[in-house]
Amino acid sequence: MNLILLGAPGAGKGTISKKLVDTFNIVQISTGDILRKEVQAESEPGLSAKKYMDAGDLVPDDVILGIVEKKLLSDECANGFIMDGFPRTVTQARGFAGILDRNNMSIDAIIELQLDDDVVIKRLTSRRTCSNPECQAIFNILYTPPESEGVCDHCASKLIQRSDETEDTIRKRLDTYYEKTEPLISFYNGNDFYYAIDADRSVDDIFTEIEQLLL
Ligand code: AP5
C-alpha cells in the first residue's frame, strides 16, 4: 500500500504515520526526519538544509526529489510506503508523479489531516522529540508525555525541542504551508482516493477513521 499524508506542520502526520507503519507493515518516508538526520551528521546536504529549516522555509525541490527517489528505490519500500511531509510543492508533486511512472508505482490513498492554526501552535510548542536520529519518537508534554520526564520511552535518549519549534518559526512554517503547500490540495483533491480528515480529535479516533478507509 502506497500513501501520501498531507497537512500543516503539527497536524499529526508523524504520529499517524508511525501507527500506519505498525498496522500495514509499510515504511514511513519522512523528508523532515531524513533531513534532521543529515543535519545531525553535519553532512553537506544537512548543512545546506539547516538554514532553510531553522528559518521555517522549504528546502529546494531538487534536493528533496533526489532524497525521495533514492529512498523509494531501496528494498525496504518493497511492501509500500507512507509519504510524510512530501510532496510539499506542486513542483515536488509533478516530480513525484514522474518518479512513480518511471518505476511502475502508484498511490492508493492521499490523506489530508485538517487542523486549525491555534491548535497547531499549542501542539508544536508542547512537542518533544527523541534526539536519537534513528528513533525520532514523538511525545507531547500536554497530551502524550513520556514515562520519565525528558527521556524517550523507546530508546532512553534525551528528548529535545526541535530548533524550528519556537512560536515565531512555527508561524513562519504555517505561512510557508499556506503559500507553497496548500495549492497541493487543489492539485490532488479531484482524485477519488483523496480523503480529508478532521485532525482535532484523539489520535485513536483519527487512526480508526483512516484504517476504515484503507481496509
Ligand atoms: P517536517 O519534519 O516534515 O515538519 P512538518 O511538516 O512541519 O511537520 P511536523 O513534524 O512539525 O508535524 P507533524 O504533522 O508530523 O505532527 P506530529 O505528529 O509531530 O519538516 C521540517 C522542515 O524540514 C520543514 O519546515 C522544511 O524546512 C523541511 N522539509 C521537510 N520536508 C520537506 C519537503 N518535502 N520539501 C521541502 N522542505 C522540506 O504532532 C505534533 C505534536 O502534536 C506532537 O507533540 C504529537 O504528540 C501531538 N499530537 C499529534 N496528534 C495529536 C492528537 N490527535 N491529539 C493531541 N496531540 C497530538
Side-chain angles (χ1 to χ4, degrees):
M1 181 176 312
N2 298 331
L3 309 173
I4 297 176
L5 262 190
L6 299 177
K13 302 180 297 295
T15 302
I16 293 294
S17 292
K18 288 181 183 5
K19 289 179 78 79
L20 288 165
V21 164
D22 293 340
T23 304
F24 293 100
N25 189 27
I26 53 182
V27 172
Q28 173 193 16
I29 302 182
S30 160
T31 42
D33 284 355
I34 295 170
L35 290 168
R36 277 184 289 281
K37 264 192 208 173
E38 296 289 341
V39 169
Q40 210 153 349
E42 299 186 346
S43 68
E44 205 184 309
L47 292 176
S48 80
K50 190 175 182 340
K51 61 178 183 294
Y52 297 101
M53 297 170 78
D54 284 349
D57 286 332
L58 295 183
V59 174
D61 291 331
D62 54 338
V63 175
I64 298 290
L65 285 164
I67 288 174
V68 167
E69 184 155 22
K70 187 169 162 212
K71 186 84 178 175
L72 263 190
L73 299 185
S74 68
D75 289 344
E76 57 181 317
C77 291
N79 204 34
F81 57 79
I82 309 158
M83 287 296 168
D84 162 9
F86 171 89
R88 275 259 223 309
T89 63
V90 172
T91 303
Q92 289 181 18
R94 294 207 169 102
F96 185 40
I99 295 173
L100 293 172
D101 275 354
R102 283 197 295 283
N103 294 289
N104 292 319
M105 293 173 170
S106 58
I107 296 297
D108 298 294
I110 302 169
I111 297 164
E112 181 203 346
L113 298 178
Q114 298 181 326
L115 195 65
D116 288 346
D117 292 359
D118 53 342
V119 188
V120 161
I121 290 168
K122 189 168 179 193
R123 284 189 189 173
L124 285 184
T125 48
S126 53
R127 175 169 62 186
R128 298 293 180 273
T129 306
C130 178
S131 58
N132 173 357
E134 300 306 322
C135 179
Q136 300 199 40
I138 302 164
F139 298 87
N140 192 291
I141 52 174
L142 300 179
Y143 309 109
T144 50
E147 283 169 20
S148 301
E149 195 184 323
V151 179
C152 178
D153 291 351
H154 308 288
C155 70
S157 300
K158 190 176 164 206
L159 299 183
I160 51 163
Q161 267 193 290
R162 280 170 32 181
S163 56
D164 60 357
E165 255 163 6
T166 62
E167 188 165 334
D168 282 353
T169 312
I170 294 166
R171 287 191 190 281
K172 176 65 178 50
R173 284 162 61 199
L174 281 167
D175 290 345
T176 303
Y177 173 77
Y178 289 118
E179 183 194 344
K180 296 185 174 159
T181 307
E182 208 181 41
L184 274 182
I185 309 290
S186 32
F187 182 85
Y188 278 133
N189 75 3
N191 289 298
D192 55 10
F193 49 85
Y194 185 95
Y195 306 101
I197 304 278
D198 173 12
D200 195 4
R201 294 178 291 159
S202 73
V203 172
D204 284 346
D205 285 356
I206 297 164
F207 185 70
T208 302
E209 182 176 347
I210 294 174
E211 196 177 23
Q212 282 165 357
L213 291 172
L214 299 178
L215 288 174

